Amino acid sequence: GAVPIKTTPTKAGDDLFLMRASVKEVYDLIDKDMTDAGALVPWQSEKGTANERISKAGVLGIYARVCLARGGYYLDVDGPPRRENYYKEYYQKALDLTKQVMDSGEHGLNPSFEKVFRNYCENVVDTYESIFEVGLFNPEGDSDNTGIVGTYNSPKVHPDSPYGRANSYMNTTPVFFNKYAEEDVRRDIAIATY
């Protein structure tokens, strides 16, 4: 939407009451920043190591989502939801950006649904399946700088267990479980029945 644009660091004496920029101005700046970023970062295979730093595919993927949003309807301060006349250009741009990622050969889907979750739980970075991840390094086990996967959505585990504590805050229902077909491999991987 229409928000203030600030491209310089704030310092004492600056006017903090900036005027809103138009939606077009905001998206134009995002377009420029994403285009610049895409030219500066390497493909995953050129980075040399699997880490959480963004790659060209990550930039292109996020930029494609921005283009989809820009092509859609938006709310502005001066009227009902609307979209720009050139919206189809941004849908095409999103298609071109995603095709660039797909054609790069850098990424693809892991053929094993189970392996995606095993990799995650075993701290295996799969740069073929995952285009961009936020690193969560937490050697002390505190709640800061960490994720909650396995703590909130796993079977309950006692704190003294060698596997660590899990609280099982999120549970599924038999209705959801039964929505899966018997032969659907995702069911028994995604839902613990114990």
Side-chain angles (χ1 to χ4, degrees):
V3 296
I5 293 177
K6 183 155 180 25
T7 59
T8 58
T10 301
K11 57 185 182 299
D14 281 358
D15 180 6
L16 302 178
F17 298 97
L18 301 173
M19 297 296 296
R20 284 184 178 165
S22 70
V23 171
K24 182 180 183 318
E25 290 171 311
V26 172
Y27 274 123
D28 285 348
L29 180 61
I30 295 170
D31 280 343
K32 179 191 175 311
D33 288 348
M34 296 302 289
T35 301
D36 291 349
L40 294 173
V41 298
W43 288 102
Q44 179 64 45
S45 61
E46 298 167 347
K47 287 175 25 178
T49 162
N51 59 38
E52 291 88 13
R53 292 185 183 213
I54 197 160
S55 68
K56 188 178 293 291
V59 172
L60 297 176
I62 293 169
Y63 191 15
R65 292 187 63 136
V66 169
C67 290
L68 287 174
R70 187 169 188 174
Y73 287 89
Y74 62 89
L75 295 174
D76 209 347
V77 292
D78 60 351
R82 61 185 178 159
R83 70 168 27 153
E84 300 296 341
N85 293 335
Y86 49 81
Y87 72 93
K88 288 184 181 177
E89 292 173 32
Y90 283 92
Y91 286 156
Q92 184 61 50
K93 192 171 199 172
L95 180 64
D96 294 343
L97 292 165
T98 53
K99 185 163 178 17
Q100 197 176 344
V101 173
M102 292 166 58
D103 290 348
S104 73
E106 296 275 330
H107 301 282
L109 297 177
N110 188 323
S112 168
F113 184 78
E114 181 177 2
K115 189 68 175 160
V116 172
F117 294 96
R118 286 201 180 276
N119 284 346
Y120 184 80
C121 292
E122 294 170 0
N123 202 25
V124 172
V125 179
D126 181 359
T127 58
Y128 188 70
E129 166 83 16
S130 179
I131 292 177
F132 179 55
E133 293 184 23
V134 175
L136 301 170
F137 182 66
N138 185 18
E140 285 83 33
D142 299 329
S143 60
D144 294 337
N145 196 29
T146 186
I148 57 172
V149 172
T151 296
Y152 278 36
N153 65 337
S154 70
K156 192 167 188 141
V157 179
H158 191 274
D160 295 335
S161 162
Y163 303 108
R165 174 185 186 152
N167 295 312
S168 190
Y169 292 133
M170 291 188 270
N171 297 290
T172 191
T173 63
V175 173
F176 181 71
F177 180 84
N178 290 327
K179 290 285 183 185
Y180 285 95
E182 182 83 24
E183 65 279 357
D184 192 333
V185 297
R186 298 173 303 165
R187 183 192 69 188
D188 295 332
I189 294 166
I191 302 171
T193 55
Y194 48 89

